[in-house]
Structures are given as structure tokens and as C-alpha cells.
Amino acid sequence: MLTIKNLHANIDDKAILKGINLQVNPGEVHAIMGPNGSGKSTLANVLVGREEYQITQGEVRFEDQDLLNMAPEERARAGIFLAFQYPVEIPGVSNINFLKAALNNVRAARGLAKLDAIDLLQQVKDKMQQVKMNPDFLYRSVNEGFSGGEKKRNEVLQMLLLEPKLALLDETDSGLDIDALKIVADGVNALRSPERAIVLVTHYQRLLDYIVPDFVHVLSGGQIIKSGDKNLALELEQQGYGWLTEARA
Amino acid sequence: MIMNTLPTMQQHATPFNLQNNPVPAGEQLWLQQIRQNALQHFVKHGFPTTRQEDWKYTKITPLAEQVYYLPTRTQVSAEQIAEHLIPNLDSYLLVFVNGQYQTELAELSGLPAGVILCELTEALTQQPALVQAHLTKIAATAKHGLSALNTAHMQTGYFLHVPANIKLTKPIQLIFLSTEQELPTTYQLRNLVIADTHSKLTLIENYIGIGSTNYWTNTLTEIHVEDHAQVEHFKLLQESQSAYHTGTLSVQQGAHSQLNSHSFALGGRLIRSDSDIVQTAEYVSSELNGLYLAKGKQHIDHHTSIDHAQAYGSSRELYKGIIDEQGRAVFNGRVLVRQDAQKINAAQTNKNLLLSEQAEIDTKPQLEIYADDVKCAHGATVGQLNASELFYLRSRGLNEQTARSILTFAFANELLEFVNQIQLRNYLRHCIIQQLAQDPTILEML
Ligand SMILES: Nc1ncnc2c1ncn2[C@@H]1O[C@H](COP(=O)(O)OP(=O)(O)O)[C@@H](O)[C@H]1O
Ligand SMILES: [Mg+2]
């Protein structure tokens, strides 16, 4: 589904990604771990088309398409979704209208009819219940004044509504208490299916107790320095990253 | 400058020159005197020039050079006017077309006893004492040439008197429509409002131009807000793309009174809009809101002045501008706190969104504070659309143009939140989106 080959990316002429290789197949769950500043968010943002990053080498294919040549909205319509580490606040645009626009655009791309207002509202409210969000949040501006946890839940809500083929979650678990963490995990697990793939960026094993990954990768210094199964995450939990990064140095 | 203005001054002076008897037949002497004084003032000072600090960025020489004609009789049907009314709004209504009052189109049924709403000239015959006691009592003739010109040449306009304790539940809609005409025409409109103590009212002035005629609207609206009265005032400018609109709102507020005035400057080749508020007593509240959308070669200038002459007053101003293409806008907000006006709370904000390289804004707060125990805040920003917000929307499947439209509209939308009338708010939303020429599908989204 997603094939990343020798991906290099810069920001402001500073090399951040230095040759990423990754293969993600339908049905799989991948966890990406690694020290702060190692390039995890950069990788996620490059995959959804954030323009600040310059791709200097490499190739990314999503299904049969050249992902790096697609506009951000085309990627979203093709079924890629990123739950951002730091969701943006958009004053003046109500959450419900934003969700409406997003859902109808993505549906149109899939050849589905526009939902009428009532069906749409019902669907949104159902999903909100799933992530235990108060319906009041629909009528507030997107993320404006939301707490950290509320923003993360709003990301999961969008993910559940848009039903992406490939869901990327960038530290969606950070800063959440255990109840909120379970809600996020339940959301991700609800999305899990043989046709979908999930890539989780996380620092913590505790999320992986709820969402068991098929693969765990360690990203450090802009490269994947180790890959393994779920046991790698347990090892990292106990020993940190030192033994890996030192072994390379 | 004076040389330049001479031919047009003649043009304007002729019909109203007292010696030449252009004054409406039978007009009272006191008014003739006022006109004459104002005319003398104008002849002496002429049009404002960019050498004057208040007119530094707004050049009205085209007005001075253009030959304008006086309105000619135009009659329109109720059907023709219907499309220009705010949909579904239950309101009282007066209609002016090409500077002519349309008696048959007025909608006054249900107006509470004692309330007078009519054309100014009718008020002059029906209520001469009331008019005389208030007309020109706020608007200083000397402020600038255009006010003087208006006073000298006032042709028509509306008059409203709401006696003490009467609270109007329906808004008053005032349509000033300009239709396609052969000759450049000028409308010198004069409006007078008296809101007596404890009264309450809402005014919606809607200036609409259709076609591409070059015309010039010069308005002066005086509002007397007596003690404890509450006035909500809207000024919608949707003049034609070749039209000039110069207008002044002059307000005097009594103790514990409240005035909220909203300007929506959407259409017109050049707009100059002045709002002058004087708080003459204690515990007065004034709020001014404005939205201006300038594109093409439009020029939109808002000048506000709030005179805190007495203690315990408050004022809040929010003006936002969206400027695209070669549009140009000016905001100047003067706040004067006089020596005895302690415990004043004044806040002023001006935010601008520049959508093109050539778009231009000149923004300036002008604080003059002579009292020591006051709170006075002001801020001005100029920026572009936020790249992170744009990306966030696109990452959810919205195309770039739609994302831009949504964010641009969201910027403007803050001003609609002050509009309580739902029909008016919907109408304004529609007008704004049309003027921004944005993706109309965003309407469904907002
Ligand atoms: N917008 C940016 N401008 C400058 N440097 C950046 C920017 N975004 C990320 N970086 C730098 O790139 C490196 C990788 O950052 P990031 O991908 O956010 O790491 P991670 O998500 O693994 O913590 C860091 O050194 C960070 O400081
Ligand atoms: Mg990160």
C-alpha cells in the first residue's frame, strides 16, 4: 500500500530525513518510535504533503500512485490521513462545518453522494459518542481553545469520519490520561481492517498495550535503525534508545 | 486645488445658491441661513486635499473634477425594489431611488403612536421645531468640506423621532438605490434621528448601486441618542463599482446611552466613511464595528473618532479589512479622552488581511488622552492567510481555493457575530461571499 524508498528530506537546507525505507501493507499496524527530534513528525508531514519540507531524494508510492507529486488534498482524497501532533486552531470556522466539508469532499472523491444535513449530523454525533466528545464541540471553532486532549480526540473523530485507508497518528497518545488513551486506542482499533493500514508514532509502550502492532521501527537521526515485532517496543521501554543509537555510533 | 474645484463648485453652488433661488420653495428662513453659512464655508475651503492629515491617503480630486448633475425624478415599482430588500426581514421601510424619496414604497404600518418616520422634508413641514432643534446640532459644519457641502445642498433623507420609553421591536430599513443613469449624478443625503430617553431602535441603511454609473453619494447622518436610549445602526455600502461614497455619521450620546454602529463597506469605487461619536455625559457605551472589502482598484477609508468628554464611558472598536488585487484601504481611529473623563475604558482593534502583493493598507490609531485614570488599548495587524490553517484544511480533503475561501470568510465572519438579527446576518453573509467572489459552495459549509 505504502512504499517509501530512500527518502531524504530537508527543512531550511538542514537534512532531517536521511534515507527512509518502509513498506506498509494493507491490514498492518506499524509503530514508529524514536528519540525526540529524530524526524518522526517530519516523516508523517512529508507523507501528507506539507510544503515546508524539501524532498531531496527518494520515492514514495501509495497504491499505484506517485505520492510526492500529489497535492495535500489529493492525498487526503486518496485515503491518507494524519492525526497531527499539534492540531491547528482555526478561528471562525465551526467544527461541524469543517467536518461537513471534509467528509463531503472525501466522499465525492470516492464516488459517494453528498450526505444530507440530517444524516451527516447523525453520523458525526455517533462518532463523537465513540470518542466521548460533547456535541457542544461541533459549534465551536475548529480546535480553538480546546485542551490538548480535546484536540487529540477531535483528530480521532475526523479519522473515524473520513475512514482513511492509511491512518498516520503522530503522538496522538501524548499527554493523555489513561481513560483518554483508551478512547484513542478504541478508535484506532475500530478502524482496523484487512484493507486498512495504520502507522502510529509514539513514545510509549502503554499505547501499544491497547493497539498491538505488527511491526515496530526505531527512527533515529533521520533513518530507521532497527525494525522488529511488538517485543522491540517492550525492550525499548526497559532499556531506552541508548543501546541502539550507541551501537551505531 | 481651489482652482481645480471651481468649476464643480459652480455646478454644486448653482442649484442651491440662495441668490439664485434653488432652495426648495417655502423653505424656512433658519434653514436657508444654515445652508448659506455652510455654502460659504465650502466655497472658502473647498474639497479636502491630501495635504490635510485626515485625508492624507484618500484623494478625492476625481470628485472635484467631475461634473455631477442633480437627481431627476425616478419611479420604481414595488417589484423592482423587492429584490433589494433584506429577505424575510420584518421591518419598517423607507425607500429612496436616485436621490428621490418614494412615498408609495414606504412601509410604516404598526409604527407605535408618537413615532415619526418620514422623509426629512416632510418632517420640516410637520415638525419644524423638532427638526430645527436638532438638525446640524451635532455635525460640525467646519469638520471638512464635504459636511459643509452636504449641509448646503441637502436634498432628501430620512427623519426619525422615537419618543421617550418607546422601544421599537422591528428594525427600520432604509434603502438608497441608484439605478443606471445617463449622467453622473450626485445625491446629497441628510438623515436625522432623535432617540429620546429610554427609547430603543435599530436602523439599517443600505446603499445599493446597480449598473456601472458614475454617481456620488454624500451623506450625513446625525443621531441624537438621549439618556438611557439604545441605538443599533448599520450602514451597508454596496455602491456600484464606479461610484463614490462619502459619508459621515455624527452621534451625540447622553448618559447611560448605548450606540452600536456597524459599517459593511463592500462596494464602491471610493468610499470614505467617517463616524464621529461624542459621549456628552457619564456612563456612555459606544461600539463601532466595520468590515471593508477592497479589490480591483477600490479605495475604502474609515475614519472614526470617539470623544470621551465625560467619565465612566466605554468604547470598543473592531475594524477588519480584506484587501485584494490593487485594492487600498485606510483606517484611522481617533480616541480622545478629555481631562475630566476619568475611568474610561476604550479598546480599538484593526485587523487586515492582504490577499495580493499590490494590496495596501494604511492603519493608524490616534490616541489623545488627557485624563490619568483610563484604560486604553489599541492594536493593529496586517497579515496574510495562515499557512498552517490552509494546510490543515487541505489535509482533510478541501481543495486550495475552497480552503482559502473558508479562511477568508472566517476572517470576515467575526463581524457577523455582532449582528443579532438573523435575517440581516444571513443577508450580509451572502453579500460578503458575493463580493469576495469566493467559491459559493462554501456557503453550504458556513
Ligand atoms: N518547521 C521546522 N523548522 C525548523 N526545524 C524543524 C522544523 N520542524 C522540525 N524541525 C527539526 O527537524 C528535526 C526533526 O523534527 P521532528 O520531525 O519534529 O522530530 P520528532 O517528531 O521525531 O520529535 C528536529 O531537529 C527539529 O528541530
Ligand atoms: Mg514529533
Side-chain angles (χ1 to χ4, degrees):
Chain A
M1 173 184 271
L2 179 75
T3 307
I4 304 176
K5 277 191 196 150
N6 191 31
L7 182 65
H8 289 248
N10 288 2
I11 186 149
D12 300 336
D13 293 327
K14 181 175 145 202
I16 310 287
L17 301 183
K18 302 172 185 168
I20 302 272
N21 292 289
L22 184 67
Q23 172 68 37
V24 178
N25 298 310
E28 294 177 352
V29 174
H30 291 243
I32 297 181
M33 307 182 83
N36 282 329
S38 60
K40 304 181 299 293
S41 293
T42 302
L43 175 60
N45 280 290
V46 163
L47 291 177
V48 292
R50 180 103 211 196
E51 282 138 349
E52 280 90 330
Y53 304 92
Q54 304 95 43
I55 313 293
T56 53
Q57 261 190 75
E59 188 193 7
V60 180
R61 298 203 72 83
F62 178 69
E63 297 185 319
D64 53 356
Q65 301 175 81
D66 177 3
L67 191 70
L68 299 179
N69 277 330
M70 294 162 71
E73 56 269 34
E74 291 169 342
R75 303 182 197 205
R77 291 170 191 176
I80 297 183
F81 179 93
L82 170 60
F84 290 94
Q85 183 174 4
Y86 303 110
V88 176
E89 300 191 3
I90 311 187
V93 178
S94 79
N95 218 11
I96 180 66
N97 291 328
F98 165 62
L99 294 171
K100 236 198 278 187
L103 185 56
N104 279 330
N105 268 293
V106 168
R107 282 179 66 89
R110 292 180 194 153
L112 298 170
K114 249 190 188 157
L115 286 178
D116 72 43
I118 296 164
D119 288 347
L120 193 136
L121 192 63
Q122 195 51 52
Q123 223 186 90
V124 172
K125 285 191 168 163
D126 288 347
K127 305 280 185 199
M128 282 186 109
Q129 214 161 27
Q130 213 175 324
V131 295
K132 302 214 164 49
M133 260 176 98
N134 190 315
D136 290 351
F137 282 100
L138 287 179
Y139 305 101
R140 289 173 54 177
S141 289
V142 178
N143 293 328
E144 195 184 30
F146 288 23
S147 72
E150 286 160 356
K151 284 180 183 167
K152 297 297 175 79
R153 265 188 254 188
N154 205 27
E155 295 291 290
V156 176
L157 170 66
Q158 293 165 44
M159 181 184 77
L160 291 175
L161 273 171
L162 299 180
E163 301 179 317
K165 289 182 191 162
L166 173 65
L168 311 164
L169 293 94
D170 190 0
E171 294 203 31
T172 306
D173 55 331
S174 292
L176 297 186
D177 60 35
I178 193 72
D179 293 331
L181 184 84
K182 274 189 196 154
I183 291 167
V184 169
D186 287 346
V188 173
N189 285 326
L191 202 73
R192 247 177 127 156
S193 84
E195 299 81 45
R196 294 205 174 97
I198 291 155
V199 177
L200 302 165
V201 172
T202 181
H203 279 298
Y204 306 106
Q205 166 59 33
R206 59 175 198 165
L207 178 67
L208 305 180
D209 289 340
Y210 297 100
I211 312 170
V212 181
D214 301 299
F215 301 94
V216 174
H217 311 277
V218 178
L219 185 62
S220 177
Q223 291 184 325
I224 291 178
I225 57 169
K226 189 159 179 71
S227 295
D229 62 10
K230 63 183 179 193
N231 293 315
L232 177 57
L234 290 169
E235 254 175 288
L236 293 169
E237 172 90 342
Q238 280 157 16
Q239 304 181 38
Y241 298 110
W243 60 284
L244 280 173
T245 46
E246 275 155 29
R248 275 177 70 83
Chain B
M1 187 63 213
I2 295 293
M3 292 279 285
N4 280 345
T5 63
L6 266 173
T8 27
M9 277 196 299
Q10 290 305 320
Q11 161 69 22
H12 290 298
T14 313
F16 287 105
N17 185 313
L18 291 176
Q19 279 90 35
N20 285 348
N21 195 28
V23 171
E27 189 166 272
Q28 290 99 323
L29 274 176
W30 64 269
L31 185 52
Q32 293 188 25
Q33 192 58 52
I34 283 175
R35 285 187 192 274
Q36 191 160 32
N37 292 344
L39 189 64
Q40 276 167 7
H41 184 276
F42 179 74
V43 169
K44 188 162 167 213
H45 298 279
F47 282 99
T49 77
T50 50
R51 285 191 305 264
Q52 283 158 261
E53 187 59 28
D54 266 0
W55 290 83
K56 197 168 156 189
Y57 302 108
T58 298
K59 205 187 265 183
I60 53 166
T61 31
L63 276 184
E65 285 155 6
Q66 176 70 50
V67 176
Y68 285 100
Y69 294 83
L70 290 170
T72 47
R73 183 83 196 133
T74 318
Q75 219 160 352
V76 298
S77 64
E79 290 73 47
Q80 282 170 296
I81 215 68
E83 63 177 298
H84 300 292
L85 300 179
I86 297 166
N88 307 315
L89 181 71
D90 188 14
S91 67
Y92 306 110
L93 174 70
L94 294 188
V95 178
F96 298 82
V97 179
N98 298 337
Q100 303 269 331
Y101 177 61
Q102 309 288 309
T103 317
E104 327 71 44
L105 298 178
E107 182 52 67
L108 302 171
S109 58
L111 208 56
V115 175
I116 304 167
L117 174 60
C118 61
E119 190 191 11
L120 182 63
T121 45
E122 190 188 331
L124 275 165
T125 41
Q126 305 296 323
Q127 299 284 337
L130 195 58
V131 176
Q132 187 175 1
H134 292 89
L135 191 70
T136 74
K137 290 300 185 288
I138 313 177
T141 297
K143 195 201 165 203
H144 55 61
L146 295 175
S147 319
L149 193 73
N150 182 284
T151 300
H153 293 248
M154 56 178 109
Q155 300 156 346
T156 184
Y158 68 90
F159 174 84
L160 171 67
H161 177 222
V162 181
N165 301 313
I166 294 183
K167 296 178 175 21
L168 295 182
T169 48
K170 290 203 271 180
I172 297 167
Q173 193 173 182
L174 304 140
I175 304 288
F176 298 91
L177 176 69
S178 301
T179 61
E180 190 80 56
Q181 289 175 93
E182 273 166 45
L183 290 170
T185 307
T186 182
Y187 314 121
Q188 303 287 325
L189 304 171
R190 185 61 168 241
N191 306 314
L192 179 60
V193 177
I194 306 157
D196 265 341
T197 54
H198 293 276
S199 68
K200 190 177 176 182
L201 61 99
T202 300
L203 297 163
I204 306 169
E205 296 178 6
N206 197 353
Y207 297 84
I208 305 169
I210 49 182
S212 53
T213 319
N214 171 0
Y215 60 91
W216 169 30
T217 309
N218 185 34
T219 69
L220 214 171
T221 301
E222 285 178 284
I223 306 183
H224 296 254
V225 188
E226 304 297 351
D227 296 357
H228 296 273
Q230 289 170 272
V231 172
E232 191 91 22
H233 170 257
F234 292 88
K235 183 172 177 182
L236 281 47
L237 295 176
Q238 309 188 75
E239 303 281 25
S240 98
Q241 292 310 314
S242 318
Y244 288 73
H245 182 108
T246 52
T248 298
L249 170 70
S250 287
V251 183
Q252 192 168 292
Q253 291 187 253
H256 298 271
S257 70
Q258 177 165 7
L259 169 92
N260 296 343
S261 177
H262 314 253
S263 164
F264 288 87
L266 311 179
R269 170 72 184 78
L270 180 144
I271 291 172
R272 164 70 184 230
S273 184
D274 289 37
S275 300
D276 300 329
I277 317 297
V278 184
Q279 298 191 345
T280 63
E282 294 184 343
Y283 298 101
V284 173
S285 158
S286 317
E287 292 192 8
L288 299 180
N289 298 308
L291 175 70
Y292 43 95
L293 310 180
K295 61 178 187 181
K297 290 189 185 303
Q298 278 181 285
H299 180 109
I300 304 180
D301 177 347
H302 278 90
H303 265 64
T304 67
S305 166
I306 297 183
D307 181 349
H308 290 280
Q310 298 291 331
Y312 307 109
S314 72
S315 65
R316 190 194 55 64
E317 293 177 74
L318 175 64
Y319 280 79
K320 291 180 101 172
I322 299 174
I323 308 152
D324 201 354
E325 298 164 353
Q326 286 145 281
R328 187 159 182 199
V330 179
F331 175 77
N332 188 99
R334 175 174 186 244
V335 177
L336 169 61
V337 182
R338 293 183 192 263
Q339 201 168 358
D340 296 331
Q342 301 295 354
K343 306 281 180 197
I344 295 297
N345 199 337
Q348 180 187 92
T349 310
N350 176 228
K351 296 183 184 170
N352 297 281
L353 187 55
L354 300 188
L355 297 179
S356 82
E357 293 280 317
Q358 298 94 351
E360 203 177 321
I361 169 76
D362 292 289
T363 172
K364 191 173 117 208
Q366 191 183 335
L367 308 183
E368 297 165 33
I369 299 165
Y370 302 101
D372 40 37
D373 189 9
V374 300
K375 268 193 215 153
C376 235
H378 68 89
T381 62
V382 178
Q384 282 96 43
L385 288 177
N386 181 303
S388 302
E389 295 175 14
L390 265 177
F391 179 74
Y392 191 73
L393 294 175
R394 293 177 71 192
S395 79
R396 298 304 184 240
L398 279 64
N399 70 38
E400 188 174 357
Q401 189 49 50
T402 306
R404 283 183 182 279
S405 295
I406 288 178
L407 293 180
T408 305
F409 184 78
F411 179 85
N413 195 42
E414 189 178 358
L415 285 151
L416 292 181
E417 285 165 13
F418 296 109
V419 182
N420 296 322
Q421 277 283 340
I422 182 99
Q423 294 84 359
L424 176 58
R425 198 185 327 135
N426 287 340
Y427 171 78
L428 282 168
R429 169 182 299 177
H430 203 90
C431 298
I432 290 167
I433 285 180
Q434 212 161 39
Q435 173 65 9
L436 290 172
Q438 298 291 17
D439 181 350
T441 62
I442 74 162
L443 260 184
E444 298 168 29
M445 233 173 266
L446 294 158

